[in-house]
């Protein structure tokens, strides 16, 4: 890769190995009219443990994998969530969805200063939510599987409230205005049944240690919790607006 120096001629570059194996690298500068170029000695690196998936949108937003925000997200994911059966299987499903679009989004963010500024504002609540999820995990750390479920409950509910309740409110407001239809709290019972069913499935997945069952139930649990948080807040707000 090519990097730019600052006004003093200094530069930094962070590189993450793509996986296990041996690597060799060096740095060089071609020089200029005033200064001679130079080349470093060759350096060798051996990776014995695979590197975890990158938080590439957060990395593009904050500019480096070494930023405190990215380090926290990766640490919570790799050291706590991924250390559990339920969390690991959820991340398999999540990564399949996330990495289907995130490289293109990250590339756009990295090349656009305004997009980076907007994303920092959008990610600020998420960082706070994940800190609360980490605190919740630690509070239930006597059972890591229970801890990751409780952390997922807190994170999913708050993400639904913060990020999706405005969209839910807009959708419900349009339905009430143009279709004369209002969502009642009792109509959320179906969602509650799905949520309870997902918990039962998680329990069965833990007992039977069936990856496919755990992956499905964990994803269903997160989506139903997120939806419940968004719709509950949106319905409550809409009832106050006549």
């Amino acid at each position: 890769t090519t990097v730019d120096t600052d006004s003093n001629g200094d530069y930094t570059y962070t590189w993450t190995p793509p996986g296990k194996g041996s690597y060799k690298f060096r740095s060089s500068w071609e020089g200029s009219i005033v200064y001679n170029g130079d080349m470093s000695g060759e350096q060798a690196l051996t990776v014995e443990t695979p590197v975890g998936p990158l938080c590439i949108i957060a990395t593009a937003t904050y500019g480096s994998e070494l930023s405190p925000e990215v380090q926290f997200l990766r640490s919570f994911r790799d050291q706590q969530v991924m250390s559990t059966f339920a969390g690991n299987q959820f991340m398999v499903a999540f990564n399949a969805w996330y990495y289907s679009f995130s490289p293109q989004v990250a590339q756009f963010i990295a090349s656009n200063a305004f997009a980076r500024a907007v994303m920092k504002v959008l990610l600020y609540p998420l960082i706070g939510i994940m800190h609360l999820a980490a605190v919740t995990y630690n509070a239930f750390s006597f059972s890591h599987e229970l801890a990751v479920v409780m952390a997922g409950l807190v994170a999913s509910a708050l993400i639904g409230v913060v990020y999706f309740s405005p969209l839910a409110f807009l959708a419900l407001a349009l339905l009430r205005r143009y279709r004369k239809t209002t969502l009642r709290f009792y109509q959320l019972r179906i969602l509650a049944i799905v949520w309870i069913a997902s918990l039962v499935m998680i329990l069965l997945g833990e007992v039977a240690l069936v990856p496919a069952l755990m992956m499905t139930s964990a994803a269903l649990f997160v989506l139903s919790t997120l939806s419940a948080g968004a719709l509950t807040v949106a319905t409550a707000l809409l009832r106050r607006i006549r």
Side-chain angles (χ1 to χ4, degrees):
T1 187
T2 301
V3 297
D4 295 325
T5 65
D6 61 20
S7 58
N8 295 321
D10 298 326
Y11 70 92
T12 60
Y13 176 70
T14 301
W15 175 76
T16 301
K20 296 174 65 175
S22 297
Y23 302 89
K24 294 180 179 180
F25 50 93
R26 67 170 79 239
S27 61
S28 64
W29 185 54
E30 295 181 354
S32 66
I33 298 177
V34 180
Y35 298 103
N36 294 328
D38 200 4
M39 180 179 292
S40 73
E42 187 177 81
Q43 302 295 317
L45 173 69
T46 300
V47 179
E48 297 180 349
T49 303
V51 179
L54 303 178
C55 303
I56 54 179
I57 291 181
T59 300
T61 300
Y62 292 103
S64 171
E65 293 178 34
L66 301 179
S67 68
E69 295 85 359
V70 178
Q71 291 282 65
F72 163 71
L73 290 175
R74 291 192 69 178
S75 174
F76 179 60
R77 180 196 65 193
D78 295 343
Q79 298 179 19
Q80 296 176 304
V81 175
M82 294 289 288
S83 67
T84 66
F85 179 59
N88 186 281
Q89 293 307 310
F90 169 74
M91 290 305 304
V92 171
F94 176 80
N95 286 339
W97 169 76
Y98 178 72
Y99 288 102
S100 67
F101 66 87
S102 58
Q104 294 80 7
V105 175
Q107 184 177 9
F108 172 75
I109 294 171
S111 62
N112 190 302
F114 178 74
R116 288 197 300 275
V118 171
M119 283 303 299
K120 284 182 180 179
V121 174
L122 292 177
L123 287 179
Y124 184 79
L126 179 62
I127 300 297
I129 289 171
M130 298 313 295
H131 274 286
L132 289 175
V135 170
T136 303
Y137 183 97
N138 292 332
F140 291 88
S141 59
F142 57 86
S143 172
H144 290 177
E145 295 297 329
L146 174 61
V148 78
V149 171
M150 296 305 297
L153 174 65
V154 170
S156 303
L158 291 178
I159 288 172
V161 169
V162 173
Y163 289 99
F164 292 96
S165 61
L167 297 176
F169 177 83
L170 178 61
L172 294 178
L174 291 175
L175 282 174
R176 187 173 75 172
R177 179 168 183 176
Y178 295 105
R179 295 297 182 90
K180 308 303 180 182
T181 302
T182 302
L183 181 68
R184 306 293 183 183
F185 278 117
Y186 72 85
Q187 293 174 308
L188 295 174
R189 287 182 300 181
I190 297 176
L191 191 57
I193 293 172
V194 173
W195 184 80
I196 293 172
S198 70
L199 282 177
V200 174
M201 291 169 62
I202 288 175
L203 179 59
L204 293 175
E206 290 283 3
V207 174
L209 294 178
V210 179
L213 176 60
M214 180 57 74
M215 188 188 309
T216 302
S217 57
L220 188 62
F221 172 72
V222 168
L223 290 175
S224 59
T225 303
L226 186 152
S227 300
L231 288 174
T232 299
V233 171
T235 303
L237 290 175
L238 200 61
R239 291 187 64 180
R240 293 178 174 272
I241 301 174
R242 298 295 183 181

